[in-house]
Amino acid sequence: MLLRADLNVPLDAGEVTDDYRIRSSLPAMRTLRDLGAQVVVCSHLGRPKGPDPELSMRPVTSTLAKLADFPVVQIDGVVGEDVTAAVRAVPDGTVAVLENTRFEPGETKNDPAVAAGLAAHADCFVLDAFGTAHRSHASTVGVAERLPSAAGPLLAAEIAAFTTLLDEPPRPFVVVLGGAKVADKLGVMRHLLPQVDRLVVGGGMCFTLLAARGIEVGASLVDEDRLEEVGALLDEYGDTIVLPVDVVVADDFAADAGHEIVDVHDIDPGAMGLDIGPRSVDRFAEHIEAARAVFWNGPMGVFEWEAFREGTAGVAAAVAGADAYSVIGGGDSVAAIRMLGRDDEVSHVSTGGGAGLELLEGKTLPGIAALQRWSGATNRRES
């Protein structure tokens, strides 16, 4: 059984610094072993353009072996007769982890040779990597076109969570967006604004919206190329969009920079906004706490630095405390809620940022679409 997991975890000096995705992948491995399958796991790690020792799966496999209650071995390769022979030599009950799939240049191009090589390791395929289901890669789409395939438990849970939000979410339905780049979230905004009760916007992206309203935002991050499009959304959905009323500004982009809380109308020309302020937290929390369904993607500020963390912490507390079906997606949002110790207080913590956003944009995810021929299911949402 070939299992496509999402083991793309952060590394520092060859050590895994956050094992959340590894832990999230364990249920699929356990279930398949319990069913008597010989499990072969494949995943990418980082964005190598070919073999790169610094992005080997070995540290990931080592961490997996410590977390698992079953034996785990590393296979030195991704495809080829030698790799298939090594896979077949693995003892029953031992989970084999292939080397980084992106060591094969054809992986990201859905190269038929790479897909066929992966398929040669097994007679069935399970896709459990929601974080890569929006990519048409050999290890997500190509293998599913060659082997009987199914969704794993993590992928099924992700689809169920987003289906709840997309089909008939409990009302009021509030979406909270943050992060640096407004361009990354415009598709979601366009698709969801006609459907949500409130769209709350913080993070670096909020300054493009404030600027589109004619507010001077100083040296804050602004996407000049998106001002016209953002302005049109504000004109049409201004009553739905909730923006900050105060922000934390700094005189430099640094953890120890001098900073103060100011009204959004009082940002000095040289100041840059790095977090939302306390009045904005209260305003956002009022909408979140009144919601029955909440989706949050993107921090409210540079939460990695203590001086600019309060906005994200306040939103996290509101989402965790809301009597609502709550979904958190996006790497930074997940990192923030876990750092704040509130990940057990929400309904669903997603492992896929880009994939979740594409679902909320109404797009079909290629990896899930490739499973249709085996399940008859679809995740397509029409705009």
Side-chain angles (χ1 to χ4, degrees), residues 3-22:
L3 172 67
R4 184 24 165 128
D6 185 1
L7 305 180
N8 183 30
V9 295
L11 298 177
D12 184 14
E15 297 292 330
V16 174
T17 58
D18 186 342
D19 62 13
Y20 176 67
R21 285 181 172 174
I22 299 175

Side-chain angles (χ1 to χ4, degrees), residues 51-75:
D52 180 350
E54 293 187 1
L55 289 174
S56 169
M57 292 295 293
R58 285 196 168 277
V60 179
T61 302
S62 176
T63 300
L64 172 61
K66 294 174 184 176
L67 295 173
D69 50 2
F70 47 79
V72 179
V73 297
Q74 172 77 45
I75 302 294

Side-chain angles (χ1 to χ4, degrees), residues 315-340:
V315 166
V319 173
D323 183 17
Y325 183 78
S326 50
V327 177
I328 295 179
D332 287 340
S333 305
V334 173
I337 197 103
R338 295 186 69 232
M339 182 182 71
L340 296 165

Side-chain angles (χ1 to χ4, degrees), residues 26 100 173 288 319 358 369 377:
L26 282 170
N100 191 336
F173 177 26
I288 293 167
V319 173
E358 290 199 12

Side-chain angles (χ1 to χ4, degrees), residues 29-336:
M29 299 179 201
R30 290 194 181 107
T31 298
L32 292 173
R33 286 183 74 257
D34 289 346
L35 292 172
Q38 187 68 45
V39 182
V40 182
V41 178
C42 66
S43 175
H44 77 288
L45 180 64
R47 297 182 177 181
K49 302 299 182 183
D52 180 350
E54 293 187 1
L55 289 174
S56 169
M57 292 295 293
R58 285 196 168 277
V60 179
T61 302
S62 176
T63 300
L64 172 61
K66 294 174 184 176
L67 295 173
D69 50 2
F70 47 79
V72 179
V73 297
Q74 172 77 45
I75 302 294
D76 291 328
V78 180
V79 297
E81 292 182 3
D82 290 347
V83 176
T84 300
V87 165
R88 291 175 179 170
V90 172
D92 290 346
T94 297
V95 170
V97 181
L98 299 178
E99 190 48 278
N100 191 336
T101 58
R102 292 193 184 179
F103 283 6
E104 294 291 333
E107 152 72 339
T108 59
K109 302 173 184 177
N110 194 12
D111 186 324
V114 177
L118 287 167
H121 303 327
D123 49 20
C124 294
F125 175 61
V126 172
L127 177 62
D128 204 39
F130 180 63
T132 60
H134 61 314
R135 304 300 187 197
S136 184
H137 291 174
S139 66
T140 56
V141 172
V143 176
E145 294 173 340
R146 289 165 170 78
L147 294 177
S149 304
L154 177 60
L155 181 60
E158 297 273 17
I159 295 171
F162 283 94
T163 297
T164 297
L165 297 179
L166 286 163
D167 285 356
E168 294 186 6
R171 299 286 179 174
F173 177 26
V174 174
V175 170
V176 184
L177 296 180
K181 299 179 181 178
V182 70
D184 293 344
K185 311 290 170 61
L186 271 175
V188 173
M189 292 172 68
R190 283 193 298 267
H191 188 69
L192 289 184
L193 273 168
Q195 305 173 41
V196 302
D197 296 286
R198 289 290 185 271
L199 178 67
V200 177
V201 181
M205 63 179 289
C206 78
F207 295 102
T208 299
L209 278 76
L210 291 170
R213 280 194 164 168
I215 296 173
E216 171 57 53
V217 297
S220 304
L221 183 65
V222 173
D223 188 340
E224 301 285 347
D225 294 335
R226 305 290 179 170
L227 284 173
E228 184 176 349
E229 187 174 359
V230 165
L233 289 175
L234 287 166
D235 288 343
E236 187 172 359
Y237 298 104
D239 293 339
T240 302
I241 299 172
V242 181
L243 294 175
V245 292
D246 65 341
V247 293
V248 182
V249 297
D251 52 18
D252 191 16
F253 188 76
D256 59 353
H259 57 279
E260 62 177 335
I261 300 166
V262 300
D263 187 279
V264 293
H265 296 281
D266 297 325
I267 301 174
D268 288 339
M272 63 180 69
L274 297 182
D275 195 10
I276 61 172
R279 288 193 295 125
S280 299
V281 170
D282 290 344
R283 187 182 194 208
F284 289 8
E286 181 179 350
H287 291 291
I288 293 167
E289 290 166 358
R292 297 300 307 280
V294 179
F295 173 73
W296 175 26
N297 180 292
M300 297 294 100
V302 189
F303 74 95
E304 297 90 345
W305 296 338
E306 187 174 357
F308 311 107
R309 185 176 298 162
E310 290 304 310
T312 299
V315 166
V319 173
D323 183 17
Y325 183 78
S326 50
V327 177
I328 295 179
D332 287 340
S333 305
V334 173

